[in-house]
Amino acid sequence: MNQDGSYFSSTIPLNTAKATTPGVPEPNVPAAKPTPLKRVVSGAALKELLAGGAGYQAKTPTREDTEFRAYSHSEIARDAATIKNSVVMHLTATFLRTPASIDSTHAYLASAFSVRDRLLQRWNLTNEFHDRIGAKRVYYMSLEFLVGRTFDNALLALQLRDEYAGVLGDVGFRLEDVIDEERDAALGNGGLGRLAACYVDSLACMNYPGWGYGLRYRYGMFQQQIINGYQVEAPDCWLDTPNPWEFPRPDVTYPVKFYGRLEHVPGSAHRYRWVSDVVYDAMAFDMPVPGYGTTNVGNIRLWSCKTNGLFDLNKFNAGDYAGATGGQVAAQILTDVLYPNDNTNEGKELRLRQEYLFCSATLQDIVARFKRTGRPLSELPDMAAIQLNDTHPTLGIPELMRILLDDEGLEWDEAWDITTRTFAFTNHTVLPEAMEKWPVPMMDRILPRHMGIIYDINLFFLQRVEKQFPDDRGLLRDISIIEESSPQQVRMAFLACVGSHRVNGVAAIHSDIIKQSIFKDFVRVMGEDKFVNKTNGVAPRRWMNECNPAMSELITEVVGDRSWINDLSKVRALEARVDDEAFRRRWWAAKQANKRRLADYILATTGIRVSPDALFDVQAKRIHEYKRQLMNILSVIYRYHRLKEMAPAERARELPRVVVFAGKAAAGYWVAKQVIKLINAVAEVVNADDEIGDVLKVVFVPDYSVTAAEHIVPASDISQHISTAGTEASGTSNMKFVLNGGIILGTVDGANIEIGEEVGEEQIFFFGCLAHEVADFRHYLRFHQPKPDPALQTAFDMIQRGTFGDAHIFQPLIDSILRGGDVYLLSVDFPSYIEAHKAVEEAYRHRDDWVTKSILSVARMAKFSSDRAIQEYAEEIWNIEPVPVVE
Ligand SMILES: *Cc1c(COP(=O)(O)O)cnc(C)c1O
């Protein structure tokens, strides 16, 4: 609590806030207006509750309360008439439609709102129940949640899909078309954001008490258009239409301070008053997360920066209209955009402010919820576990320290003990360009209190190291949270490591690598037990049951029921059917049906016609040098060259192949964008070549997203996961593809290794150098030009001859290999990559063996369910238990 006794209000009345720090953009907050009444009331009300200690139970229930409870706890009926009523009610009363003005957009919205009614009811039940029994919760803090669509997912979870299909059919709509009206919630870049979405799905399905916390970006991941072969970014205005899947919480709002100065509180060692001159309000929006086959509904709480009260009426009245709204603009921009970078750190000031807004609101909310239990703060770690999804939410650590020291008046040691027992940290990368660091001067200016706390954390930590390893100056320099560069930098991964009780990597190889590289010194100082592995997983609900109905039906038939959807170990039963001829034919047919569906999607999005009888060879993921889409397209060029050299009869005997690419490049990542251009340039030439026809087609599917992935993943025969060994922490799309009966062509990297262990070496095509060999190759290539093997040279020659248009625009890509040190070792791996392609082709020609591989793969994928991952986190890091909701 603040010193004036109010919990919410800052030391300065909010609406008199004004920037005074030199060089800080003027936020144009209106001067001297009275504090809004609502804030005083809510602060006082909370204070009363806190003083009462017993929280909400203090009131004795009245008759109305009992009726209220009886009503709110009785499930809405599931019959067609009730569903139809509620859809029609929303059509007319929520969306003002008449029978003549219903279109599929409003059919979707009304259906979605009627589903949401059910979810919100269960949401209430779930959270009330968890409060009542005093369950410990996990809070998964992530700046990204790549959720995708919710409607179909919710229908499946509630087991109401057929009912809604029927009701929509009655009013003249196909469910599939209605589902297609929904826009993706794309609040993430790629794997890291999708992982967070899979994890909250698993929490809900497995009845674990827990929430995701994130930011509600007004513009999510940009939409990718391909114009003249180049990527063009367009804003993702996903909130332009009503969003049924969020619930605004104007009553859940916290002030977040920036800038200003510190005043030491006399008589205390570590207590400061932060006199800030800029305060923004973060307001909560809740996204219910349907749990499949359970009453439990999860939640993602997203913060949005509020602009109410920042309109300057005085400036408006004086005719300064831009000035009047300046404060609103400055506030809103904080949660306007997702930074569309993947595995890079940009060091932008706005990003740091975003991160802090997120962390401050989240920690205030967690502490407020905890305090309603009336327990002493020392018990916070018994009630809350906080997982940091990469370093982006690391400021949560100094923020909790600030709350405990300054607001709650705890001593340092107790505050630090509580903090480190609460937090755990997931590392997602070892790429140097992704390591999050912030210049000390920037941090000091924006978050002076946190900079002070970080200095103290570092001081106490280094004192401990010094005691343990006296006179090792090098160690102190290397392990310090503050990097002694000019200017100094805060190393966020080190802060996260020091402030957490567990640090985990996301695949076995990755967890080993971080112990030997970035956290090597920390292993020496803190011991090995702090560093654990939690191999990633994917949600079987979305990545099989929802995206692959044909194969799901087969699995259900073999298992005997749908229990595999929440217990993937049951898919092992497929192994018993691997020799059943009739079953194998249906398996193949399911894959072919998925390929036809993708062929339709490709035709609709690109105008390119592909044959579903060809081998579908897919690489869909963010475009990044380490993922080596360049190596893939170079091998396609080489293949094209070989086909052109052949006599027609020989060419006709070749295995037809469709090479599918999809993925976005960060807007400022020039090399990655040139790779997209090269792929499209090759596609244009190859697809138009009559001599080639269906033997080779190259497709770049634009605007990769969760929904696009749901079309692409079930249709692959092989998918490529070909990162330079040691660079892909885990990967998760490798898991999705294999779960859907596709085979991996990949390097010995990330989770490919564990997938190979599970499915067996017959079911995976490995190639390329190993992680421990990379350093030597890189060292050699720094000083020697690579000598490309003939195949690679052939591809270079073709580009340089202008086969794919203006050669000079692609020369920098060639130079990155020949002159740039070939950091990702394309020249090293290319020969074995070509060999692996040959092996794939040979195997695919033996259809019988191929079907066996496909069935066995799916049967052996249980480990890669996100349910397994979440159970490991719950048992080994969070210490939480599943509690199915009962009344
Ligand atoms: C799963 C997924 C990813 C992650 O793909 P990787 O190949 O593991 O990098 C990225 N984007 C989307 C839309 C996904 O669904």
Side-chain angles (χ1 to χ4, degrees):
M1 221 177 291
N2 283 330
Q3 301 209 308
D4 60 2
S6 74
Y7 185 78
F8 278 113
S9 62
S10 54
T11 44
I12 293 191
L14 265 179
N15 288 341
T16 62
K18 214 164 176 1
T20 52
T21 316
V24 173
E26 170 74 43
N28 291 322
V29 186
K33 272 206 299 181
T35 312
L37 188 61
K38 198 159 166 267
R39 175 175 304 283
V40 176
V41 170
S42 60
L46 183 60
K47 197 176 149 192
E48 198 176 279
L49 278 174
L50 295 178
Y56 289 132
Q57 269 114 52
K59 271 201 302 183
T60 47
T62 62
R63 195 172 63 86
E64 286 77 11
D65 278 337
T66 315
E67 277 177 12
F68 189 99
R69 176 170 296 272
Y71 179 76
S72 67
H73 282 209
S74 60
E75 279 261 336
I76 303 166
R78 304 166 59 88
D79 59 290
T82 306
I83 290 171
K84 195 165 188 170
N85 260 334
S86 81
V87 173
V88 171
M89 190 277 283
H90 281 295
L91 273 171
T92 54
T94 312
F95 294 107
L96 215 68
R97 295 290 115 179
T98 63
S101 64
I102 307 174
D103 50 14
S104 55
T105 307
H106 290 92
Y108 158 66
L109 284 172
S111 311
F113 268 78
S114 75
V115 168
R116 157 193 154 132
D117 291 342
R118 291 171 194 273
L119 287 182
L120 291 180
Q121 190 189 33
R122 289 182 173 195
W123 192 102
N124 263 338
L125 277 179
T126 306
N127 290 294
E128 193 193 44
F129 176 70
H130 290 155
D131 281 342
R132 189 147 43 97
I133 64 168
K136 178 174 180 179
R137 288 184 173 98
V138 63
Y139 299 110
Y140 197 82
M141 285 183 73
S142 179
L143 247 336
E144 301 188 16
F145 284 91
L146 195 49
V147 174
R149 289 173 174 169
T150 297
F151 183 47
D152 198 17
N153 188 255
L155 287 179
L156 288 163
L158 295 166
Q159 291 166 30
L160 286 173
R161 202 172 189 277
D162 294 343
E163 287 78 356
Y164 270 80
V167 165
L168 284 166
D170 287 351
V171 287
F173 294 97
R174 286 188 345 142
L175 178 61
E176 292 71 29
D177 300 334
V178 171
I179 286 171
D180 262 340
E181 289 291 327
E182 182 175 357
R183 297 191 59 149
D184 276 34
L187 308 182
N189 275 286
L192 174 148
R194 182 55 228 177
L195 184 78
C198 282
Y199 279 179
V200 289
D201 178 287
S202 282
L203 286 172
C205 292
M206 301 174 80
N207 299 307
Y208 280 115
W211 284 7
Y213 271 103
L215 282 185
R216 178 181 179 269
Y217 303 107
R218 196 149 69 108
Y219 302 100
M221 188 61 204
F222 67 80
Q223 293 194 312
Q224 179 192 54
Q225 296 163 357
I226 302 298
I227 296 178
N228 189 23
Y230 285 103
Q231 167 177 300
V232 175
E233 303 89 21
D236 167 39
C237 312
W238 71 297
L239 294 172
D240 277 0
T241 47
N243 176 11
W245 310 114
E246 65 177 11
F247 193 84
R249 295 273 185 189
D251 53 324
V252 183
T253 296
Y254 298 95
V256 180
K257 301 188 208 178
F258 294 92
Y259 310 106
R261 63 194 163 77
L262 304 177
E263 288 173 1
H264 185 235
V265 177
S268 66
H270 289 282
R271 197 169 186 187
Y272 285 81
R273 182 208 293 260
W274 178 9
V275 184
S276 138
D277 34 29
V278 180
V279 183
Y280 294 125
D281 278 354
M283 172 181 146
F285 285 75
D286 286 335
M287 284 178 71
V289 179
Y292 182 95
T294 165
T295 306
N296 197 59
V297 168
N299 189 28
I300 304 176
R301 176 159 285 185
L302 301 177
W303 302 105
S304 176
C305 206
K306 230 160 104 166
T307 58
N308 310 6
L310 295 177
F311 181 74
D312 191 332
L313 194 58
N314 292 329
K315 283 189 180 163
F316 181 85
N317 288 339
D320 176 8
Y321 304 126
T325 54
Q328 295 180 315
V329 172
Q332 193 177 56
I333 203 165
L334 274 181
T335 49
D336 258 353
V337 284
L338 164 77
Y339 272 85
N341 285 322
D342 188 66
N343 278 304
T344 51
N345 170 47
E346 268 206 292
K348 291 268 161 64
E349 178 166 332
L350 180 63
R351 167 73 175 199
L352 181 61
R353 293 199 284 146
Q354 263 189 353
E355 289 182 357
Y356 180 61
L357 183 98
F358 166 51
C359 291
S360 179
T362 302
L363 268 298
Q364 290 185 63
D365 196 40
I366 291 170
V367 171
R369 183 170 311 110
F370 171 76
K371 288 179 69 166
R372 288 198 288 270
T373 67
R375 294 168 173 236
L377 280 162
S378 58
E379 293 178 17
L380 178 66
D382 304 327
M383 293 299 285
I386 302 178
Q387 190 69 33
L388 302 174
N389 195 26
D390 212 331
T391 54
H392 320 144
T394 300
L395 285 170
I397 290 169
E399 175 65 0
L400 180 57
M401 286 297 287
R402 184 196 64 77
I403 292 171
L404 296 177
L405 296 170
D406 299 352
D407 294 352
E408 303 295 339
L410 264 54
E411 292 302 320
W412 181 278
D413 287 346
E414 191 182 6
W416 185 241
D417 179 61
I418 292 169
T419 299
T420 52
R421 287 198 293 132
T422 303
F423 282 96
F425 161 56
T426 304
N427 170 277
H428 281 272
T429 182
V430 290
L431 296 184
E433 64 268 33
M435 288 303 152
E436 204 183 357
K437 289 174 189 172
W438 294 104
V440 167
M442 189 195 288
M443 181 91 78
D444 197 34
R445 185 162 47 83
I446 300 174
L447 302 170
R449 182 62 183 117
H450 299 76
M451 195 59 242
I453 289 172
I454 293 167
Y455 273 133
D456 283 349
I457 292 172
N458 197 39
L459 177 72
F460 295 133
F461 174 62
L462 292 184
Q463 280 173 350
R464 202 185 108 187
V465 176
E466 162 96 273
K467 217 179 268 166
Q468 225 177 320
F469 300 92
D471 304 321
D472 195 341
R473 310 277 324 154
L475 176 63
L476 292 181
R477 181 197 62 223
D478 292 346
I479 208 169
S480 172
I481 294 169
I482 310 293
E483 182 178 278
E484 293 300 330
S485 46
S486 174
Q488 294 178 315
Q489 308 264 346
V490 182
R491 296 159 160 161
M492 300 303 270
F494 287 12
L495 177 58
C497 179
V498 173
S500 298
H501 65 282
R502 283 289 181 285
V503 176
N504 74 282
V506 288
I509 182 181
H510 169 65
S511 297
D512 281 344
I513 288 174
I514 62 177
K515 282 196 279 186
Q516 293 156 24
S517 55
I518 72 166
F519 298 127
K520 186 168 114 233
D521 295 325
F522 290 88
V523 171
R524 265 179 81 196
V525 168
M526 304 175 136
E528 203 160 356
D529 293 351
K530 175 168 177 153
F531 299 86
V532 296
N533 173 244
K534 293 287 163 274
T535 299
N536 284 166
V538 298
R541 272 71 59 186
R542 185 169 299 259
W543 298 113
M544 174 51 89
N545 189 43
E546 187 181 332
C547 73
N548 198 343
M551 218 166 253
S552 295
E553 275 318 303
L554 288 176
I555 296 173
T556 299
E557 186 184 305
V558 171
V559 171
D561 55 35
R562 301 194 171 276
S563 58
W564 59 271
I565 296 170
N566 276 349
D567 177 3
L568 199 60
S569 67
K570 298 212 168 160
V571 292
R572 199 162 263 283
L574 286 171
E575 285 212 27
R577 299 292 283 275
V578 75
D579 294 322
D580 174 340
E581 251 333 294
F583 184 77
R584 295 165 58 83
R585 270 199 299 279
R586 291 164 68 204
W587 189 267
W588 178 265
K591 181 58 92 178
Q592 286 304 116
N594 293 336
K595 288 168 71 174
R596 282 196 295 278
R597 193 168 64 123
L598 178 57
D600 292 344
Y601 185 79
I602 288 172
L603 183 62
T605 52
T606 68
I608 300 167
R609 218 173 272 281
V610 300
S611 164
D613 295 324
L615 172 93
F616 277 24
D617 167 354
V618 180
Q619 188 177 18
K621 49 184 76 230
R622 286 300 294 254
I623 312 290
H624 204 296
E625 284 167 282
Y626 85 86
K627 291 179 183 277
R628 301 200 290 191
Q629 283 91 355
L630 178 57
M631 188 166 77
N632 187 350
I633 194 63
L634 287 169
S635 82
V636 172
I637 293 170
Y638 171 64
R639 174 180 302 274
Y640 179 52
H641 178 264
R642 270 185 35 240
L643 291 170
K644 293 296 281 181
E645 300 275 280
M646 288 175 189
E650 190 188 357
R651 195 153 52 222
R653 287 194 299 273
E654 282 291 301
L655 181 70
R657 182 188 289 248
V658 179
V659 184
V660 178
F661 290 86
K664 293 172 182 175
Y669 193 170
W670 190 82
V671 177
K673 291 173 96 168
Q674 291 305 104
V675 170
I676 293 176
K677 172 65 179 172
L678 177 59
I679 293 168
N680 282 302
V682 172
E684 199 176 332
V685 171
V686 171
N687 297 341
D689 191 330
D690 289 337
E691 276 186 347
I692 299 298
D694 273 349
V695 177
L696 180 61
K697 287 277 180 255
V698 182
V699 180
F700 189 96
V701 177
D703 203 32
Y704 189 52
S705 62
V706 170
T707 295
E710 287 176 52
H711 283 93
I712 294 170
V713 164
S716 86
D717 294 306
I718 62 167
S719 66
Q720 299 200 34
H721 308 275
I722 56 176
S723 50
T724 312
T727 62
E728 185 76 272
S730 163
T732 47
S733 82
N734 43 5
M735 302 169 186
K736 299 169 195 166
F737 281 102
V738 181
L739 181 59
N740 282 270
I743 307 297
I744 288 179
L745 167 58
T747 44
V748 186
D749 199 21
N752 290 355
I753 299 171
E754 288 157 83
I755 293 172
E757 284 168 9
E758 292 293 310
V759 299
E761 63 180 38
E762 293 290 306
Q763 276 64 244
I764 190 162
F765 295 91
F766 278 127
F767 72 94
C769 71
L770 303 178
H772 69 86
E773 300 165 340
V774 166
D776 283 350
F777 280 120
R778 279 188 177 158
H779 183 78
Y780 176 84
L781 287 166
R782 242 201 323 274
F783 305 104
H784 303 82
Q785 263 216 349
K787 294 177 200 60
D789 80 305
L792 185 56
Q793 189 59 53
T794 302
F796 288 163
D797 290 346
M798 237 178 154
I799 295 172
Q800 284 168 332
R801 276 203 306 275
T803 315
F804 309 107
D806 201 351
H808 85 263
I809 58 177
F810 303 123
Q811 191 56 41
L813 296 179
I814 296 174
D815 285 344
S816 73
I817 299 168
L818 293 182
R819 295 169 207 286
D822 191 14
V823 177
Y824 295 103
L825 309 185
L826 277 70
S827 65
V828 175
D829 281 351
F830 202 77
S832 66
Y833 180 52
I834 297 296
E835 285 307 308
H837 267 297
K838 285 189 193 144
V840 166
E841 225 154 88
E842 190 55 29
Y844 193 74
R845 284 179 185 279
H846 296 94
R847 181 186 293 186
D848 262 358
D849 293 346
W850 191 270
V851 175
T852 302
K853 289 183 203 305
S854 175
I855 296 174
L856 290 182
S857 293
V858 179
R860 297 169 179 176
M861 282 299 284
K863 172 174 172 182
F864 303 98
S865 167
S866 48
D867 298 347
R868 183 273 313 153
I870 282 298
Q871 188 173 343
E872 287 182 7
Y873 277 102
E875 291 174 357
E876 294 160 32
I877 298 183
W878 302 333
N879 194 23
I880 60 167
E881 281 174 13
V883 274
V885 174
V886 289
E887 287 176 38

